[in-house]
mmCIF file with all atom_site columns, all heavy atoms in Angstrom:
data_model
loop_
_atom_site.group_PDB
_atom_site.id
_atom_site.type_symbol
_atom_site.label_atom_id
_atom_site.label_alt_id
_atom_site.label_comp_id
_atom_site.label_asym_id
_atom_site.label_entity_id
_atom_site.label_seq_id
_atom_site.pdbx_PDB_ins_code
_atom_site.Cartn_x
_atom_site.Cartn_y
_atom_site.Cartn_z
_atom_site.occupancy
_atom_site.B_iso_or_equiv
_atom_site.pdbx_formal_charge
_atom_site.auth_seq_id
_atom_site.auth_comp_id
_atom_site.auth_asym_id
_atom_site.auth_atom_id
_atom_site.pdbx_PDB_model_num
ATOM   1  N N   . GLU A 1 37  ? -6.625  15.501 -35.390 1.00 0.00 ? 37  GLU A N   1
ATOM   2  C CA  . GLU A 1 37  ? -7.229  14.115 -35.538 1.00 0.00 ? 37  GLU A CA  1
ATOM   3  C C   . GLU A 1 37  ? -7.128  13.522 -36.875 1.00 0.00 ? 37  GLU A C   1
ATOM   4  O O   . GLU A 1 37  ? -6.635  12.405 -37.115 1.00 0.00 ? 37  GLU A O   1
ATOM   5  C CB  . GLU A 1 37  ? -8.709  14.206 -35.162 1.00 0.00 ? 37  GLU A CB  1
ATOM   6  C CG  . GLU A 1 37  ? -9.360  12.835 -35.082 1.00 0.00 ? 37  GLU A CG  1
ATOM   7  C CD  . GLU A 1 37  ? -10.906 12.939 -35.148 1.00 0.00 ? 37  GLU A CD  1
ATOM   8  O OE1 . GLU A 1 37  ? -11.431 13.949 -35.643 1.00 0.00 ? 37  GLU A OE1 1
ATOM   9  O OE2 . GLU A 1 37  ? -11.532 11.949 -34.797 1.00 0.00 ? 37  GLU A OE2 1
ATOM   10 N N   . ALA A 1 94  ? -7.676  21.012 -33.577 1.00 0.00 ? 94  ALA A N   1
ATOM   11 C CA  . ALA A 1 94  ? -8.596  20.020 -33.994 1.00 0.00 ? 94  ALA A CA  1
ATOM   12 C C   . ALA A 1 94  ? -10.014 20.345 -33.720 1.00 0.00 ? 94  ALA A C   1
ATOM   13 O O   . ALA A 1 94  ? -10.802 19.524 -33.244 1.00 0.00 ? 94  ALA A O   1
ATOM   14 C CB  . ALA A 1 94  ? -8.193  18.692 -33.289 1.00 0.00 ? 94  ALA A CB  1
ATOM   15 N N   . SER A 1 95  ? -10.296 21.600 -33.926 1.00 0.00 ? 95  SER A N   1
ATOM   16 C CA  . SER A 1 95  ? -11.759 22.134 -33.784 1.00 0.00 ? 95  SER A CA  1
ATOM   17 C C   . SER A 1 95  ? -12.176 22.056 -32.291 1.00 0.00 ? 95  SER A C   1
ATOM   18 O O   . SER A 1 95  ? -13.415 21.888 -32.065 1.00 0.00 ? 95  SER A O   1
ATOM   19 C CB  . SER A 1 95  ? -12.703 21.473 -34.770 1.00 0.00 ? 95  SER A CB  1
ATOM   20 O OG  . SER A 1 95  ? -12.431 21.787 -36.055 1.00 0.00 ? 95  SER A OG  1
ATOM   21 N N   . GLY A 1 97  ? -13.723 23.370 -29.168 1.00 0.00 ? 97  GLY A N   1
ATOM   22 C CA  . GLY A 1 97  ? -14.546 24.588 -28.566 1.00 0.00 ? 97  GLY A CA  1
ATOM   23 C C   . GLY A 1 97  ? -13.864 24.931 -27.275 1.00 0.00 ? 97  GLY A C   1
ATOM   24 O O   . GLY A 1 97  ? -13.568 24.082 -26.483 1.00 0.00 ? 97  GLY A O   1
ATOM   25 N N   . ARG A 1 102 ? -12.586 22.398 -20.308 1.00 0.00 ? 102 ARG A N   1
ATOM   26 C CA  . ARG A 1 102 ? -11.209 22.227 -20.992 1.00 0.00 ? 102 ARG A CA  1
ATOM   27 C C   . ARG A 1 102 ? -10.249 23.334 -20.595 1.00 0.00 ? 102 ARG A C   1
ATOM   28 O O   . ARG A 1 102 ? -9.032  23.015 -20.516 1.00 0.00 ? 102 ARG A O   1
ATOM   29 C CB  . ARG A 1 102 ? -11.384 22.296 -22.512 1.00 0.00 ? 102 ARG A CB  1
ATOM   30 C CG  . ARG A 1 102 ? -12.061 21.042 -23.127 1.00 0.00 ? 102 ARG A CG  1
ATOM   31 C CD  . ARG A 1 102 ? -12.306 21.235 -24.666 1.00 0.00 ? 102 ARG A CD  1
ATOM   32 N NE  . ARG A 1 102 ? -13.058 19.992 -25.157 1.00 0.00 ? 102 ARG A NE  1
ATOM   33 C CZ  . ARG A 1 102 ? -13.644 20.126 -26.272 1.00 0.00 ? 102 ARG A CZ  1
ATOM   34 N NH1 . ARG A 1 102 ? -13.821 21.310 -26.956 1.00 0.00 ? 102 ARG A NH1 1
ATOM   35 N NH2 . ARG A 1 102 ? -14.297 19.009 -26.655 1.00 0.00 ? 102 ARG A NH2 1
ATOM   36 N N   . GLN A 1 140 ? -19.924 12.383 -31.652 1.00 0.00 ? 140 GLN A N   1
ATOM   37 C CA  . GLN A 1 140 ? -18.602 11.863 -31.500 1.00 0.00 ? 140 GLN A CA  1
ATOM   38 C C   . GLN A 1 140 ? -18.291 11.979 -29.914 1.00 0.00 ? 140 GLN A C   1
ATOM   39 O O   . GLN A 1 140 ? -18.691 12.950 -29.313 1.00 0.00 ? 140 GLN A O   1
ATOM   40 C CB  . GLN A 1 140 ? -17.546 12.729 -32.201 1.00 0.00 ? 140 GLN A CB  1
ATOM   41 C CG  . GLN A 1 140 ? -16.188 12.162 -32.036 1.00 0.00 ? 140 GLN A CG  1
ATOM   42 C CD  . GLN A 1 140 ? -15.114 12.981 -32.846 1.00 0.00 ? 140 GLN A CD  1
ATOM   43 O OE1 . GLN A 1 140 ? -15.283 14.173 -33.143 1.00 0.00 ? 140 GLN A OE1 1
ATOM   44 N NE2 . GLN A 1 140 ? -13.994 12.319 -33.109 1.00 0.00 ? 140 GLN A NE2 1
ATOM   45 N N   . THR A 1 144 ? -18.140 18.702 -27.476 1.00 0.00 ? 144 THR A N   1
ATOM   46 C CA  . THR A 1 144 ? -19.143 19.658 -27.005 1.00 0.00 ? 144 THR A CA  1
ATOM   47 C C   . THR A 1 144 ? -20.561 19.243 -27.444 1.00 0.00 ? 144 THR A C   1
ATOM   48 O O   . THR A 1 144 ? -21.581 19.598 -26.779 1.00 0.00 ? 144 THR A O   1
ATOM   49 C CB  . THR A 1 144 ? -18.804 21.088 -27.391 1.00 0.00 ? 144 THR A CB  1
ATOM   50 O OG1 . THR A 1 144 ? -18.646 20.975 -28.858 1.00 0.00 ? 144 THR A OG1 1
ATOM   51 C CG2 . THR A 1 144 ? -17.624 21.611 -26.669 1.00 0.00 ? 144 THR A CG2 1
ATOM   52 N N   . GLU A 1 206 ? -20.147 28.062 -30.600 1.00 0.00 ? 206 GLU A N   1
ATOM   53 C CA  . GLU A 1 206 ? -18.952 27.948 -29.812 1.00 0.00 ? 206 GLU A CA  1
ATOM   54 C C   . GLU A 1 206 ? -17.690 28.628 -30.587 1.00 0.00 ? 206 GLU A C   1
ATOM   55 O O   . GLU A 1 206 ? -17.825 28.796 -31.812 1.00 0.00 ? 206 GLU A O   1
ATOM   56 C CB  . GLU A 1 206 ? -18.552 26.495 -29.519 1.00 0.00 ? 206 GLU A CB  1
ATOM   57 C CG  . GLU A 1 206 ? -18.453 25.669 -30.750 1.00 0.00 ? 206 GLU A CG  1
ATOM   58 C CD  . GLU A 1 206 ? -18.025 24.142 -30.413 1.00 0.00 ? 206 GLU A CD  1
ATOM   59 O OE1 . GLU A 1 206 ? -17.819 23.846 -29.255 1.00 0.00 ? 206 GLU A OE1 1
ATOM   60 O OE2 . GLU A 1 206 ? -17.989 23.303 -31.325 1.00 0.00 ? 206 GLU A OE2 1
HETATM 61 N N1  . LIG B 2 .   ? -16.177 21.379 -31.771 1.00 0.00 ? 301 LIG B N1  1
HETATM 62 C C1  . LIG B 2 .   ? -16.370 20.133 -31.162 1.00 0.00 ? 301 LIG B C1  1
HETATM 63 C C2  . LIG B 2 .   ? -15.777 20.160 -29.728 1.00 0.00 ? 301 LIG B C2  1
HETATM 64 O O1  . LIG B 2 .   ? -15.225 21.178 -29.317 1.00 0.00 ? 301 LIG B O1  1
HETATM 65 C C3  . LIG B 2 .   ? -15.980 18.956 -31.860 1.00 0.00 ? 301 LIG B C3  1
HETATM 66 C C4  . LIG B 2 .   ? -14.502 18.851 -32.160 1.00 0.00 ? 301 LIG B C4  1
HETATM 67 C C5  . LIG B 2 .   ? -14.175 17.565 -32.904 1.00 0.00 ? 301 LIG B C5  1
HETATM 68 N N2  . LIG B 2 .   ? -12.979 17.568 -33.582 1.00 0.00 ? 301 LIG B N2  1
HETATM 69 C C6  . LIG B 2 .   ? -12.377 16.657 -34.314 1.00 0.00 ? 301 LIG B C6  1
HETATM 70 N N3  . LIG B 2 .   ? -11.376 16.791 -34.801 1.00 0.00 ? 301 LIG B N3  1
HETATM 71 N N4  . LIG B 2 .   ? -13.121 15.484 -34.409 1.00 0.00 ? 301 LIG B N4  1
HETATM 72 O O2  . LIG B 2 .   ? -15.822 19.201 -29.062 1.00 0.00 ? 301 LIG B O2  1
#
Side-chain angles (χ1 to χ4, degrees):
E37 183 199 24
S95 289
R102 287 176 180 157
Q140 183 178 26
T144 50
E206 62 180 351

